[in-house]
Amino acid sequence: MTAHKIEFPEKVARTLGATEPQLVIGQKTTSLKIREWTSAEELQLGELADKFQNAHPWKTVEMVVSTMCAEIGGHVFWKFENDMYKPAMDYQNREMILQGMWMPDVFAAYLYTRLECYGADYDVEIKDPYDNNKPFKWVADVASINLNVPKDRTKLTYRFDLTRPIQRGGKTITHFIMGPVRWATTEIYARSNQLRFGIDICAAAIHAIPEISEAGFSVDTEFLAKLRVHKTDLDRMQEAVEQAAFGPEFIMEVESPRAKKTFPIPIDWKYGNFFKASSR
């Protein structure tokens, strides 16, 4: 069956350092205010790490954003009083708000925190594909990371037409309404594996199934499995999620010392590697 062309929401590309800190999509607003990272913030983050020992990498991102963002998306997490930041709400409320935020916004806040704290320089050791994979060190520019921002914050979803419509309860399901996922989805990713990751991300990206509910509802992996979506459509859905994604592109361009040609490398955004001062 012929696959229909997907009309994705329009995106505008900008670099992380092109503007003052702000969210990609936003909630109440796109506001983002980063605290100065001092020994006080280090202790607060360490106390969270004690509470969530052996946390998965996404949980660590959440802890950093919850601790270091004084204001995010119109929500005030920390108030500056008497020369110090004091919590405007407890961790559980900050966590609840972040869980409901868009994933690209939380990752953007995380990247801006890194940029504000350490500056743009980021030391990486990589292998040169133009020199027999010889290792070399490179100082990358965090400020040059690309952010894909919606052209219109009210237009985030798109129609995904199934090549194989589904019969369910006397109704024919022909398409899904899909869009960005919430940060809460990372809890699913943490429990996922290579073979079920695709269906997990597809389920999270479904915002509505019009033939079942005009108002839309949350679709989980088990419900999507019961619909018996064909494998070819699942693969197309996963590709669509990747193509439509807003937020940071975790890729940097580096230059081969020998060939003087640039090539892309993935960014290791995990806390232990990403949050380090440059030696330069």
Side-chain angles (χ1 to χ4, degrees):
M1 295 184 180
T2 303
H4 297 274
K5 181 180 179 181
I6 302 174
E7 298 293 337
F8 293 113
E10 290 187 77
K11 294 184 283 189
V12 177
R14 72 163 189 249
T15 59
L16 193 70
T19 66
E20 292 296 314
Q22 58 183 273
L23 300 182
V24 172
I25 301 173
Q27 202 166 44
K28 294 179 179 180
T29 69
T30 59
S31 65
L32 182 61
K33 183 178 180 181
I34 311 295
R35 299 169 64 185
E36 183 182 11
W37 199 321
T38 70
S39 53
E41 285 73 23
E42 187 80 359
L43 176 59
Q44 290 162 355
L45 190 55
E47 289 172 343
L48 280 181
D50 285 339
K51 182 178 179 180
F52 298 100
Q53 292 188 23
N54 301 315
H56 56 78
W58 293 286
K59 188 65 177 180
T60 305
V61 170
E62 182 183 296
M63 289 190 285
V64 169
V65 172
S66 172
T67 302
M68 294 308 304
C69 292
E71 183 179 331
I72 180 169
H75 300 282
V76 178
F77 282 179
W78 301 83
K79 290 183 178 179
F80 193 73
E81 297 176 353
N82 300 322
D83 297 325
M84 64 182 298
Y85 276 103
K86 297 180 180 179
M89 61 179 73
D90 60 22
Y91 176 75
Q92 286 72 25
N93 282 316
R94 300 198 304 271
E95 179 186 44
M96 181 176 66
I97 288 171
L98 290 177
Q99 290 282 308
M101 297 191 77
W102 299 112
M103 185 182 291
D105 282 337
V106 178
F107 265 127
Y110 181 73
L111 292 180
Y112 273 118
T113 299
R114 167 58 173 81
L115 182 61
E116 292 285 294
C117 176
Y118 289 110
D121 291 346
Y122 171 48
D123 293 346
V124 290
E125 184 168 321
I126 46 188
K127 295 179 180 179
D128 189 345
Y130 297 104
D131 194 9
N132 297 316
N133 287 325
K134 180 180 178 180
F136 71 98
K137 293 183 178 180
W138 177 265
V139 180
D141 181 6
V142 172
S144 70
I145 295 175
N146 280 324
L147 293 176
N148 289 310
V149 181
K151 186 174 182 180
D152 184 342
R153 290 174 56 213
T154 66
K155 297 179 179 178
L156 305 176
T157 60
Y158 53 95
R159 173 175 170 143
F160 179 89
D161 288 290
L162 297 164
T163 58
R164 298 171 185 249
I166 302 163
Q167 300 297 325
R168 182 178 173 86
K171 296 182 178 180
T172 302
I173 299 173
T174 60
H175 67 282
F176 301 142
I177 302 300
M178 300 179 64
V181 301
R182 303 285 181 177
W183 183 253
T185 307
T186 59
E187 294 294 333
I188 300 172
Y189 294 170
R191 301 190 302 268
S192 192
N193 57 56
Q194 185 176 2
L195 290 181
R196 68 170 284 168
F197 181 80
I199 189 173
D200 283 337
I201 195 171
C202 289
I206 296 175
H207 286 218
I209 305 178
E211 283 92 356
I212 295 180
S213 173
E214 289 294 333
F217 57 96
S218 177
V219 175
D220 60 22
T221 302
E222 286 69 28
F223 184 85
L224 186 59
K226 290 177 181 177
L227 288 180
R228 297 180 60 82
V229 178
H230 195 274
K231 171 63 173 170
T232 55
D233 277 326
L234 280 176
D235 289 347
R236 290 179 54 242
M237 288 171 69
Q238 190 169 352
E239 290 176 6
V241 170
E242 294 171 359
Q243 290 182 49
F246 297 113
E249 295 178 3
F250 287 100
I251 294 174
M252 288 182 176
E253 293 287 332
V254 300
E255 184 180 89
S256 161
R258 180 174 183 176
K260 304 302 180 184
K261 295 181 179 179
T262 60
F263 60 94
I265 62 165
I267 299 170
D268 185 354
W269 52 263
K270 297 180 183 64
Y271 179 82
N273 293 310
F274 197 53
F275 279 77
K276 289 181 179 179
S278 173
S279 59
R280 188 160 77 178

